[in-house]
Amino acid sequence: MSSVPQQRGGWWHDYVCPTHGVELDTARGDTFPCRYGCEFRGGKFAAAWLVYEHQGLAREARLRARRFAAHGDAADRDRVLVILQDYAALYDTVVRAGWNDGSEAWMLKGKLFSQALTEAQWAVQIADAVIALGAELNQAADAAAITAMLRGLLETTEAARVILVDERDDESSNYTAWLNAAGRLLSRALTACGAGDDAAEAVWLTRTYSHIRLAIASDGWEWEGSTYYHLFVLRAYLLGLAGAEPASLPEDVRATLGAMTTVLAELAAPSGQLPSLHDGPYDRAPMNREVLEVAALSGQLFAETGLDAVANYAHQQLGADDDGLESMLPGWFSGPALPALAPSRGSVLFDQVGYAVLRDEGDQLTAILDVGPHGGAHGHLDKLGLYLYGTAPWQPAPGVPPYGSALRREYYATSTAHPTLTVDGRDQAEGTAVVDLWDAAAGRVVAHTVDAIPGVLFRRDVSLVAGHLVDIVTASAADGEEHRFALNFRPSHSLTVVATEAGARSTWTNDAGVTLSALHAASGANAFELVATRAPSDDPARVVAGADWHHRGVSACFVSVYRLGGDAHAAITIPEDGPAVVTLSLPDGTTHTIEAFSA
């Protein structure tokens, strides 16, 4: 009896509850349960669960092979051989025959899976298991069948790449990065079996260099502007460079890999959490394992990366689901590490992808302002959205649930789901923003957009000064007509709002009882409306109290001043004929005045 499923896998994004929007839990036999009590059987759920099973077995093979290489436990070796032999038999009888009939028209088809991308991820793990076993594989009774499977996978990878790169002219796709990684590791696995050649490996290495040069902007971000896909592509690069000598990599490739790694170190919240900007899972075990692998492999490529807090956060989130695979990958590169990276952990503007990161001196509060393009298919309608992080996420980017959920586009990609401005209740349009002022030393960014809300000039002026976050939002309609302006607040924890004579006070409280307090004032008649919103996308069914701050008029000005752990020491002035002014009067007698930017 085979130890592996005998059916092809589907698309993992279909493994989602249509009622609650949550990723489904571990299957119980042929039942696929939701944490809220729903149960499903058959169809897309079964095909999606097969992806989890196949990928889980491939990870087990890789983990055991790496552990055998380190400790020599025969039980690990024997289990890996069983998995590889059974997959070789499955490949010969079921998979080799042709492309997956379950693929949708838009997909880049795979054979074992609906998508070639999934196939490439699976193949990377299988190939690494073969490489780790090395000569032991040659002792297996079905070594020839395993070698034949590797050749078949390599042919599939090459064919998928031809369709994507040559026929669709889409070399910059994140799929290409994974096809390149799979091609390189499969070639290395064949060499380990005595059936490969250096020239084939070199071709895939050259393709990886090409993708690095094409898909990464000068500020170090992967072009799509999504934290998850940035991480996803960086992981593919690091895996695909297996066995390379760091010092021998082309100079521009070394610099780009360093910049990509530094992006993660600079972006991370004080807790080590990576904000889920635009598309990508908010929090799930597979993502945290990917974070750990990136931290481990980049930590071999560079002497220091600044990712310790990021790795620690991922370990904490995984808990008992942490299998330690990333610690079993020593010697991934052949040669000493490159010089240490030096992330600033200060305020940083990523001017190509369009994120401004403001950080206070004590690294207790981080503000991220979205000032760039929406990043293509993985972007959200959240221009000039303001995300707040500390030791816990105060107002985080919400991410998205698995793509099979209608909530991905119907809610999580919309303006309503984000802490930004809407006018007349409509979603923003796709567009970009222009940075009017950037002062890293002063901790201030000002940006505006005329694209996101057609006919409206929308500007946001954000400063981190003396432990206070000052946020000044202005908007004006070019048509001179009255409109309904609404500034959204989207916390992930408890939010209370109390109206005052001067405006309003809000208190944000995290699970540990830590508070973020704010004073709010606006031009003219205005009001806060508490609204029920969805939690970040790890649990779309959880209801969170958010707020929409309304003002009706030709123009609007909203001013908020935040302070961690206590009330803000601030006075807010909004004159009718001039820019808003915030005066901070601190207990030590010092004062700071922030006058809203005026073009």
Side-chain angles (χ1 to χ4, degrees):
M1 181 177 177
S2 177
S3 66
V4 306
Q6 295 300 291
Q7 301 82 32
R8 302 176 194 241
W11 189 41
W12 83 262
H13 282 289
D14 284 326
Y15 202 66
V16 61
C17 176
T19 302
H20 297 97
V22 295
E23 187 173 353
L24 296 175
D25 292 338
T26 301
R28 298 194 302 265
D30 63 352
T31 299
F32 311 108
C34 153
R35 72 186 75 166
Y36 287 100
C38 302
E39 293 185 347
F40 304 93
R41 292 179 179 82
K44 290 184 175 181
F45 304 109
W49 176 249
L50 281 167
V51 177
Y52 286 70
E53 287 198 279
H54 286 308
Q55 295 286 16
L57 284 163
R59 186 174 179 90
E60 181 189 356
R62 188 182 180 209
L63 174 65
R64 286 180 175 271
R66 285 284 166 181
R67 195 162 62 199
F68 171 75
H71 304 295
D73 187 334
D76 280 330
R77 176 199 60 204
D78 294 346
R79 173 62 176 159
V80 177
L81 289 174
V82 166
I83 293 172
L84 292 176
Q85 289 164 352
D86 286 348
Y87 269 121
L90 176 68
Y91 197 89
D92 186 55
T93 58
V94 176
V95 179
R96 187 188 303 276
W99 300 102
N100 193 317
D101 290 336
S103 298
E104 297 180 29
W106 62 268
M107 292 179 176
L108 182 66
K109 289 185 177 182
K111 290 185 177 178
L112 180 58
F113 302 95
S114 291
Q115 292 230 73
L117 174 62
T118 314
E119 199 123 340
Q121 293 174 283
W122 182 84
V124 162
Q125 298 203 87
I126 291 294
D128 190 43
V130 170
I131 293 165
L133 279 190
E136 294 288 329
L137 184 67
N138 297 326
Q139 309 303 316
D142 293 333
I146 294 171
T147 300
M149 174 181 65
L150 295 173
R151 285 201 182 98
L153 286 169
L154 188 58
E155 290 169 2
T156 299
T157 301
E158 181 67 50
R161 192 180 187 280
V162 167
I163 294 170
L164 182 66
V165 175
D166 297 336
E167 297 180 13
R168 298 186 183 179
D169 192 24
D170 196 11
E171 186 178 356
S172 65
S173 169
N174 61 71
Y175 287 38
T176 312
W178 275 93
L179 294 171
N180 292 343
R184 178 91 197 296
L185 286 171
L186 288 166
S187 298
R188 287 177 62 77
L190 285 167
T191 298
C193 295
D197 63 82
D198 292 342
E201 288 188 41
V203 167
W204 291 103
L205 198 59
T206 299
R207 289 172 171 176
T208 295
Y209 297 160
S210 176
H211 194 270
I212 290 171
R213 290 164 177 147
L214 180 65
I216 312 304
S218 59
D219 60 8
W221 271 88
E222 196 264 349
W223 68 272
E224 294 170 281
S226 153
T227 312
Y228 177 70
Y229 286 98
H230 179 92
L231 181 86
F232 188 69
V233 168
L234 177 56
R235 179 168 170 246
Y237 292 158
L238 293 169
L239 289 166
L241 293 173
E245 181 183 2
S248 71
L249 298 176
E251 183 177 355
D252 64 323
V253 168
R254 297 197 304 265
T256 299
L257 293 170
M260 291 185 76
T261 305
T262 298
V263 161
L264 299 175
E266 298 284 27
L267 186 69
S271 65
Q273 179 183 9
L274 289 172
S276 295
L277 300 170
H278 293 187
D279 264 14
Y282 182 79
D283 188 13
R284 62 191 297 266
M287 178 183 174
N288 286 314
R289 294 190 189 107
E290 292 174 19
V291 169
L292 288 175
E293 189 166 47
V294 166
L297 296 184
S298 63
Q300 293 187 44
L301 186 60
F302 300 98
E304 295 287 346
T305 62
L307 294 180
D308 288 351
V310 172
N312 289 338
Y313 180 86
H315 281 301
Q316 292 167 9
Q317 294 302 104
L318 281 168
D321 291 330
D322 190 346
D323 62 14
L325 174 58
E326 78 286 343
S327 67
M328 301 179 192
L329 306 174
W332 193 260
F333 305 102
S334 60
L338 298 169
L341 302 175
S344 69
R345 289 300 291 172
S347 295
V348 179
L349 174 65
F350 297 106
D351 60 351
Q352 295 298 304
V353 74
Y355 293 121
V357 180
L358 299 179
R359 185 170 282 111
D360 67 356
E361 290 183 1
D363 203 5
Q364 296 297 303
L365 186 62
T366 297
I368 302 173
L369 185 66
D370 184 329
V371 299
H374 285 296
H378 294 132
H380 291 181
L381 303 175
D382 64 337
K383 199 51 49 219
L384 297 188
L386 182 66
Y387 303 103
L388 306 178
Y389 294 85
T391 53
W394 296 108
Q395 182 165 254
V400 289
Y403 292 173
S405 170
L407 291 175
R408 178 203 177 190
R409 286 299 179 200
E410 291 180 4
Y411 180 76
Y412 282 96
T414 68
S415 302
T416 299
H418 295 83
T420 188
L421 184 77
T422 61
V423 177
D424 298 328
R426 296 193 299 267
D427 264 341
Q428 294 182 2
E430 288 199 19
T432 191
V434 175
V435 176
D436 300 304
L437 173 68
W438 170 251
D439 189 335
R444 187 177 184 184
V445 60
V446 182
H448 77 274
T449 177
V450 293
D451 298 334
I453 307 171
V456 174
L457 170 62
F458 167 26
R459 177 172 279 118
R460 200 155 198 168
D461 182 339
V462 185
S463 306
L464 260 175
V465 181
H468 291 71
L469 176 70
V470 178
D471 176 32
I472 305 173
V473 173
T474 57
S476 58
D479 61 9
E481 300 293 326
E482 187 175 276
H483 294 272
R484 180 176 175 269
F485 298 91
L487 183 62
N488 301 337
F489 295 81
R490 296 295 180 260
S492 63
H493 297 283
S494 170
L495 172 68
T496 60
V497 180
V498 177
T500 68
E501 184 176 349
R505 290 178 180 270
S506 66
T507 303
W508 313 50
T509 308
N510 69 16
D511 293 341
V514 179
T515 61
L516 177 70
S517 299
L519 299 176
H520 308 277
S523 57
N526 66 92
F528 272 87
E529 177 189 2
L530 288 178
V531 294
T533 64
R534 295 183 184 274
S537 57
D538 59 328
D539 192 358
R542 181 168 68 91
V543 177
V544 177
D548 293 347
W549 193 4
H550 299 293
H551 171 76
R552 186 174 290 278
V554 176
S555 62
C557 178
F558 302 99
V559 182
S560 302
V561 184
Y562 299 83
R563 180 170 175 260
L564 272 174
D567 292 339
H569 306 291
I572 302 170
T573 304
I574 307 177
E576 291 185 4
D577 57 351
V581 177
V582 175
T583 303
L584 304 178
S585 300
L586 306 184
D588 64 4
T590 59
T591 62
H592 298 267
T593 301
I594 300 94
E595 182 177 296
F597 179 88
S598 180

